Amino acid sequence: MAENMQASRPADDGWTTVIRPRSGWFDINLKELWQYRDLTLMFVKRNFTVLYKQTILGPAWILLNPLITTLIFNVVFGNMAGMPTDGVPGFLFYMAGNTVWTFFANCVNNTANTFVTNSQVFGKVYFPRLTMPVSQVLTSLINFLIQVAMYLLFWLYFFATGAEVRFTLWTLAVPLVMLQVMLLGLGVGIIVSSLTTKYRDLAIAVGFGVQLWMYASPVVYPLSMLDESPRLKVLVELNPMTAPIEVFRAATLGTGSVSAGAIVYSVAFTVVALVLGVVLFSRIEKTFMDTV
């Protein structure tokens, strides 16, 4: 079947493309994935079209969702609960954390149903299956860049009004950290996607699980607030999303608790999740059509 094959180029038989059975645990042809980059971009365009088709505000929701969420966080956790924000304006504090978290959550949620939602396409034509989840995280990346632009506009406003915010040298690390967040979301997402082929209720649980994960991340509270609870702080630091959020705040607000150990741990967790996800994805795509 087409889903059990991969393309290769033999030297002497005259064929331009030969489809052969795949074997091995880590059987992802990155060169082939690059050859299908136009298809990946087409999927990215399709994602935007499908998501905002027949909507009143269209792509404006890219900005409205984080803006409304930030306002709610500011009222509930800032004004009502009185949580500290490390001396920076609460609105910017919550928007910084929410922007990074939304990027990660979108990567996970949008890739978690790759096999189930594309089963009909997978059964009809051959193409590198990994182009589907990759296109989803690229779509999330575009949304993230738009949201960062909005965040910077608010940052300029608060800076102009005398708020104690500043860019630091951590700004140079932000692109690499965001790449890590994207790869972490891709890894976790394709792990869930692979497991949903056998356990369909995971597709329902993933949204709830991501929401719970957010409260285990320093999105609505600073990591420094946990200094008096060492055990709880250690648990939060075991969250691989803690370091990226803290780095983004340290880069753009001049606040946050960032350590080299936390960054190394987060990167190592990302590598493990991505490798495990690719292995599971590679194995599941070979037998997927027999399970649907």
Side-chain angles (χ1 to χ4, degrees), residues 200-232:
R200 296 300 177 87
D201 52 347
L202 283 177
I204 302 173
V206 65
F208 178 67
V210 169
Q211 287 182 344
L212 291 180
W213 194 341
M214 186 196 76
Y215 291 105
S217 307
V219 175
V220 297
Y221 55 85
L223 192 60
S224 60
M225 191 181 77
L226 304 177
D227 288 340
E228 297 180 359
S229 304
R231 293 183 179 179
L232 186 58

Side-chain angles (χ1 to χ4, degrees), residues 116-138:
V116 176
T117 58
N118 297 288
S119 59
Q120 293 183 347
V121 178
F122 287 175
K124 293 179 179 178
V125 63
Y126 172 78
F127 60 91
R129 306 308 189 216
L130 203 57
T131 56
M132 285 288 192
V134 168
S135 71
Q136 292 289 356
V137 297
L138 289 178

Side-chain angles (χ1 to χ4, degrees), residues 39-213:
L39 180 63
T40 302
L41 295 177
M42 187 188 72
F43 284 145
V44 171
K45 183 178 179 181
R46 184 204 63 172
N47 294 339
F48 277 103
T49 302
V50 171
L51 183 60
Y52 300 110
K53 185 178 182 181
Q54 295 181 334
T55 60
I56 296 176
L57 299 178
W61 284 111
I62 298 175
L63 300 177
L64 288 176
N65 278 333
L67 181 59
I68 294 173
T69 304
T70 299
L71 289 172
I72 293 174
F73 286 168
N74 194 43
V75 171
V76 175
F77 297 102
N79 297 337
M80 297 176 63
M83 285 190 175
T85 57
D86 283 347
V88 300
F91 185 86
L92 280 182
F93 179 87
Y94 295 121
M95 180 169 277
N98 187 49
T99 299
V100 178
W101 178 258
T102 300
F103 178 36
F104 170 73
N106 286 342
C107 288
V108 174
N109 290 328
N110 293 340
T111 59
N113 294 311
T114 298
F115 282 112
V116 176
T117 58
N118 297 288
S119 59
Q120 293 183 347
V121 178
F122 287 175
K124 293 179 179 178
V125 63
Y126 172 78
F127 60 91
R129 306 308 189 216
L130 203 57
T131 56
M132 285 288 192
V134 168
S135 71
Q136 292 289 356
V137 297
L138 289 178
T139 302
S140 299
L141 176 62
I142 295 173
N143 291 343
F144 169 73
L145 294 176
I146 295 173
Q147 291 167 4
V148 166
M150 178 180 68
Y151 170 75
L152 291 177
L153 290 177
F154 281 107
W155 188 96
L156 289 173
Y157 168 77
F158 279 96
F159 180 78
T161 55
E164 295 293 329
V165 294
R166 67 186 187 279
F167 287 106
T168 67
L169 288 177
W170 282 110
T171 306
L172 300 176
V174 168
L176 294 177
V177 171
M178 292 306 105
L179 175 62
Q180 179 217 330
V181 172
M182 184 172 68
L183 295 178
L184 177 61
L186 176 63
V188 174
I190 58 180
I191 288 174
V192 175
S193 177
S194 301
L195 295 177
T196 53
T197 60
K198 187 175 182 180
Y199 308 104
R200 296 300 177 87
D201 52 347
L202 283 177
I204 302 173
V206 65
F208 178 67
V210 169
Q211 287 182 344
L212 291 180
W213 194 341

